[in-house]
Amino acid sequence: MTVLVNVRLIDPERDRVVAGGLVISGGVIAEVFEGPRPGGVDCGGMALAPGIVDLGVKVGEPGERHTESFRSAGAAAAAGGVTTIVTRPDTLPAIDEPERLEFILRRAVEATPVNVLPMAALTRGREGREMTEIGFLMDAGAVAFTDAAAVANPRVFQRCLTYAAGLGALIVGHPQDPVLSAGACMTSGQFASQLGLPAVSPMAERIGLERDLALVEATGARYHADQISTARSLPALARARAAGLRVTAGASIHHLTLNEFDVGDYRTFFKLTPPLRSEDDRAAMVQAVADGLIDVIGSFHTPQDEEEKRLPFEEAASGAVGLETLLPAAMQLHHAGLSLPLLWRALSLNPARLLGLAAGRLAPGAPADLVLFDPDAPFVLDRATLRSKSKNTPYDLRRMQGRVLRTWVGGREVYAREAR
Amino acid sequence: MPAGARLLYEAAILATGEPPLFPHRHLLGIEGLSRGDIETVLDLAEDYVALNRRADKRGNALAGLTQINMFFEASTRTQASFELAGKRLGADVMNMTVAASSVKKGETLIDTAMTLNAMRPDLLVVRHPASGAVNLLASKVECAVLNAGDGRHEHPTQALLDALTIRRRKGRLSRLTVAICGDIAHSRVARSNMILLGRMENRVRVIAPPTLLPAGIERMGVEVFQDLRAGLDGADVVMMLRLQRERMDGALVPSMREYYHRFGLDAEKLALAKPDAIVMHPGPMNRGVEIDGTLADDINVSVIQEQVEMGVAVRMAAMDLLARNLRARAA
């Protein structure tokens, strides 16, 4: 039994922050109390919140272990206050068979201190032609199905949605018109034109989303849009929600904290998919998080080795690591006005609910997946210090605020920041 | 002032007691140049125009220096121009044509740069099909890098040679109305010219069908026309751009003949511009697509051959100025 006292409890479920503490016993939260209590571990008035549930993490196993292994991803997650990683199936080969999914679960148990829940591919080889064995994969432990890219053929996607709806499976879509966005590495506009880079209109995302939503309406499937990044998509999302469709949406922390100008002089660590958007889009996305229209914030952790980023912008690989920087970057939103409970709904409670997990709550009986952090501690990020094997973070040398101090998974401490 | 430029200033002042004429390590684009920088290049280029017209064309500004022309994209004109410019100033010039498609693109770029860097060249002239590739390369080498065109980004020496041609013909490089017509969206020449002409306080017009205009053009300080006749009205300078063949035939414009009808320049349309208007083209031309062949050859209005001549002089000037900085740094 562990008793944590003198903490600020960040409770996303009841939308409040209170001074108090909690008791961990048998891997779960046994009691949550307000006010002081003698004895226990004094946490110095720091913030205690449910651990982050990061939906859409790429680990380089199988196939690209040099970019990220389960061991390195697990260490990065623990240090970032992420207690559950929900992995993407866009590995080499793709996670499109139950045997491969079992490999992931086996590796996760032996190598990571945090919870790992795998998503499986929606179509074989993520080629968008034939659906995977959704039933078998669910039996094996797949929590959701995604190709981590748009399924280009609407007929294939419709059949997948129809079949998945019958099983109650969650489909994670990547809303993007694949033809319009082919070859693009920036958002179209003045800045991309000045840099002379191929660019895509934000409308490509909206077209992709509208198509997906129409198919969801037709099939009744459960659908989560992995990343919404532009204001143009939001009205469609709101309409679907109002019409009662079972639709949720996520946003990557990068699109909430960075904009297209961060690319600057062709800096490839800022090359993401979808590309970084205008400042107007970024601000609209933050507002959508505040309004609850965006349910989930994730890191969309995408490790890439150094060589793949040391190329001309058009040719460089896309994506950024984010497990360790998700919380400090989210603190930027907090310091800009979003409350901690609100942020934790998007970081923890909502993704947990979406996947049917008991995590994400500070309540008796909930798993003791917790993060203790200092929302104000300032630091300058040095990418060399990241635990991920790949160091492709857009936040390198950025002044950040918010440090993870300790992380528990199932009541076991998996990370403690060394005092300096 | 950027840190690199400040170092150059300090080095130059230490070596010669004077600030450098051209406070830049590389020539990567027009974007980073001030009005004064542009005038410095053009003024020096005037001297080289005179030199190039003499029987003995030999200068020695680059004597002892090694210049490598590295072209990842085929080019006859620009490469020849840079080669001649280097040779006339006494540099040892080496040409490398790297087929970008034969190896996995870019993968060799930094490796190639590092290899070349180890051979200690002084001037590296680079053309690459990817925007920003020359900037990337410049960050990895110690020599001076000149951008000979990167993707759709910039082609600074082309804009400078155009500016020199205009200045010589019009007697000034400001308060002119310049109409740029053609494939603005995919043209690094248009990008560099828009920046340069804007910086020198000219009225810049762009004329193209909307499919050939880049996104955000309305915020780039130019006037946008979709009608060639309206855009030419009262222009001092008419700059025609090459239309790549793959952009015709239904992809971005319906056909060659419709494009020529609406956006091709001929004598009748040119009559709408000022009577003393000049016609420019960065070459190579598609006669009968963007410009009437007879008009292109009309020495009374066309300055296309003069542009080629100015190209050599401007490149001599640019390399000379960068070499002075190299010498100041080494001293």
Side-chain angles (χ1 to χ4, degrees):
Chain A
M1 190 175 84
T2 312
V3 182
L4 305 176
V5 301
N6 190 18
V7 295
R8 285 197 296 138
L9 297 161
I10 313 301
D11 186 343
E13 206 173 13
R14 271 161 291 185
D15 192 21
R16 60 179 193 164
V17 180
V18 288
L22 58 70
V23 181
I24 302 171
S25 177
V28 297
I29 298 171
E31 185 195 349
V32 181
F33 57 86
E34 291 181 25
R37 182 177 285 195
V41 182
D42 187 338
C43 296
M46 292 298 157
L48 184 72
I52 294 170
V53 178
D54 196 358
L55 181 57
V57 172
K58 165 91 181 270
V59 179
E61 290 190 49
E64 296 160 293
R65 205 155 141 182
H66 66 290
T67 64
E68 190 85 291
S69 65
F70 272 102
R71 191 171 303 283
S72 60
V82 175
T83 52
T84 300
I85 56 182
V86 182
T87 57
R88 298 210 308 263
D90 52 336
T91 46
L92 293 174
I95 307 305
D96 56 359
E97 290 178 4
E99 292 75 9
R100 290 179 185 155
L101 195 87
E102 281 157 12
F103 164 81
I104 299 284
L105 290 169
R106 208 163 53 238
R107 280 292 296 147
V109 168
E110 64 190 35
T112 69
V114 301
N115 305 309
V116 175
L117 299 173
M119 292 193 282
L122 185 58
T123 67
R124 287 181 199 276
R126 300 170 50 241
E127 287 171 355
R129 286 203 289 270
E130 306 157 45
M131 71 175 87
T132 52
E133 295 168 314
I134 295 176
F136 279 161
L137 285 159
M138 283 177 83
D139 292 344
V143 295
F145 294 83
T146 183
D147 273 2
V151 175
N153 185 329
R155 186 187 316 198
V156 172
F157 196 52
Q158 178 173 22
R159 286 175 180 163
C160 291
L161 288 170
T162 306
Y163 190 82
L167 289 167
L170 175 67
I171 302 297
V172 177
H174 181 72
Q176 188 69 231
D177 184 279
V179 177
L180 285 177
S181 58
C185 57
M186 288 287 282
T187 300
S188 62
Q190 183 192 1
F191 189 59
S193 294
Q194 278 171 356
L195 292 179
L197 291 171
V200 59
S201 158
M203 281 300 182
E205 180 179 292
R206 175 175 151 197
I207 292 169
L209 182 66
E210 297 266 23
R211 182 203 75 161
D212 286 5
L213 294 176
L215 293 175
V216 168
E217 191 180 317
T219 58
R222 282 173 68 211
Y223 175 91
H224 175 75
D226 63 352
Q227 293 189 66
I228 296 295
S229 59
T230 147
R232 304 274 192 188
S233 299
L234 296 172
L237 196 57
R239 275 201 309 279
R241 212 56 84 70
L245 301 186
R246 294 195 290 173
V247 167
T248 50
S252 99
I253 191 66
H254 301 118
H255 290 89
L256 295 168
T257 54
L258 304 167
N259 67 30
E260 57 184 350
F261 296 129
D262 284 300
V263 168
D265 189 18
Y266 302 97
R267 295 194 291 170
T268 56
F269 280 12
F270 294 84
K271 181 174 176 180
L272 305 174
T273 308
L276 286 171
R277 306 300 193 182
S278 69
E279 175 59 13
D280 287 348
D281 276 330
R282 188 198 68 83
M285 291 305 300
V286 173
Q287 187 59 46
V289 170
D291 296 342
L293 190 55
I294 293 295
D295 308 272
V296 175
I297 300 175
S299 71
F300 237 73
H301 186 80
T302 305
Q304 298 287 6
D305 73 37
E306 214 80 338
E307 291 306 317
E308 292 298 313
K309 286 284 186 184
R310 289 175 69 210
L311 292 173
F313 198 87
E314 281 171 61
E315 296 159 16
S318 181
V321 292
L323 282 169
E324 256 175 287
T325 47
L326 177 54
L327 186 143
M331 287 306 99
Q332 181 185 326
L333 302 177
H334 169 57
H335 293 294
L338 299 193
S339 77
L340 289 172
L342 187 143
L343 280 169
W344 251 263
R345 273 211 296 279
L347 289 167
S348 182
L349 179 63
N350 288 343
R353 279 183 174 163
L354 195 58
L355 302 172
L357 311 176
R361 304 158 61 226
L362 286 188
D369 295 350
L370 299 165
V371 55
L372 182 75
F373 64 101
D374 179 348
D376 302 313
F379 68 101
V380 176
L381 183 80
D382 172 2
R383 70 190 183 101
T385 64
L386 293 179
R387 285 157 181 80
S388 283
K389 279 193 183 176
S390 298
K391 317 288 186 192
N392 54 308
T393 173
Y395 299 119
D396 188 34
L397 301 179
R398 194 178 172 99
R399 289 173 176 80
M400 305 190 93
Q401 248 181 304
R403 275 280 199 199
V404 174
L405 302 172
R406 297 173 78 172
T407 307
W408 294 266
V409 174
R412 194 167 71 89
E413 186 177 273
V414 295
Y415 173 77
R417 183 172 162 71
E418 286 162 32
R420 293 195 182 163
Chain B
M1 191 187 299
R6 191 161 55 239
L7 280 175
L8 277 176
Y9 259 102
E10 286 165 5
I13 289 167
L14 277 176
T16 63
E18 284 172 23
L21 265 174
F22 188 73
H24 302 276
R25 226 183 109 184
H26 308 294
L27 178 61
L28 300 178
I30 298 297
E31 185 59 55
L33 303 185
S34 69
R35 248 188 109 126
D37 295 335
I38 293 164
E39 279 164 355
T40 302
V41 178
L42 301 186
D43 291 348
L44 184 59
E46 290 283 4
D47 297 346
Y48 286 126
V49 173
L51 176 72
N52 288 337
R53 287 182 178 180
R54 295 208 315 246
D56 178 7
K57 300 177 174 60
R58 197 156 290 268
N60 60 0
L62 302 181
L65 301 185
T66 305
Q67 172 193 342
I68 300 181
N69 297 334
M70 194 158 49
F71 279 64
F72 292 88
E73 198 180 68
S75 154
T76 321
R77 310 159 65 96
T78 308
Q79 186 165 349
S81 183
F82 267 108
E83 183 176 353
L84 209 50
K87 285 184 168 160
R88 287 200 178 148
L89 291 180
D92 295 314
V93 185
M94 188 178 107
N95 285 315
M96 284 182 63
T97 306
V98 193
S101 52
S102 64
V103 266
K104 195 184 158 212
K105 267 189 236 166
E107 194 163 43
T108 55
L109 180 63
I110 288 185
D111 289 342
T112 313
M114 301 303 273
T115 308
L116 286 178
N117 189 50
M119 297 177 191
R120 301 201 163 273
D122 302 288
L123 296 155
L124 199 54
V125 178
V126 187
R127 168 169 289 191
H128 197 282
S131 301
V134 183
N135 300 47
L136 175 67
L137 200 143
S139 69
K140 306 287 175 194
V141 297
E142 286 150 53
C143 58
V145 176
L146 291 101
N147 183 359
D150 63 323
R152 312 175 191 174
H153 178 220
E154 282 235 43
H155 191 354
T157 54
Q158 178 71 42
L160 287 164
L161 76 88
D162 288 340
L164 183 61
T165 310
I166 295 171
R167 196 173 81 168
R168 286 168 63 91
R169 281 296 181 121
K170 295 287 160 196
R172 65 174 196 271
L173 188 56
S174 57
R175 304 184 319 283
L176 295 167
T177 300
V178 183
I180 307 176
C181 178
D183 186 0
I184 313 289
H186 303 93
S187 172
R188 54 194 173 214
V189 176
R191 205 87 77 237
S192 290
N193 264 314
M194 278 157 46
I195 303 169
L196 188 149
L197 293 166
R199 195 144 297 167
M200 303 308 287
E201 296 174 14
N202 295 283
R203 268 181 89 161
V204 181
R205 298 173 176 175
V206 296
I207 311 167
T211 45
L212 296 180
L213 287 170
I217 183 78
E218 65 286 349
R219 285 184 287 169
M220 292 186 189
V222 297
E223 296 170 272
V224 179
F225 290 80
Q226 278 154 31
D227 175 0
L228 181 61
R229 291 166 196 274
L232 290 179
D233 186 27
D236 296 287
V237 177
V238 183
M239 220 177 250
M240 302 305 293
L241 298 174
R242 176 182 168 79
L243 184 68
Q244 305 273 341
R245 295 213 164 248
E246 61 267 27
R247 317 238 190 266
M248 302 174 218
D249 303 329
L252 290 167
V253 295
S255 71
M256 217 182 286
R257 61 181 192 179
E258 177 160 333
Y259 183 82
Y260 182 66
H261 177 71
R262 295 188 58 210
F263 295 96
L265 187 68
D266 57 24
E268 182 217 327
K269 290 174 191 155
L270 183 64
L272 295 163
K274 285 204 181 141
D276 61 346
I278 56 171
V279 175
M280 308 177 76
H281 194 296
M285 278 181 285
N286 294 308
R287 289 166 187 266
V289 177
E290 67 256 355
I291 190 163
D292 174 64
T294 320
L295 182 64
D297 297 332
D298 181 350
I299 52 164
N300 294 314
V301 293
S302 167
V303 295
I304 296 169
Q305 296 309 313
E306 196 172 328
Q307 284 174 274
V308 178
E309 183 189 354
M310 295 307 121
V312 179
V314 151
R315 288 169 180 128
M316 290 165 84
M319 290 195 288
D320 179 356
L321 289 166
L322 292 176
R324 293 182 199 196
N325 292 340
L326 289 175
R327 293 204 161 106
R329 255 198 318 161

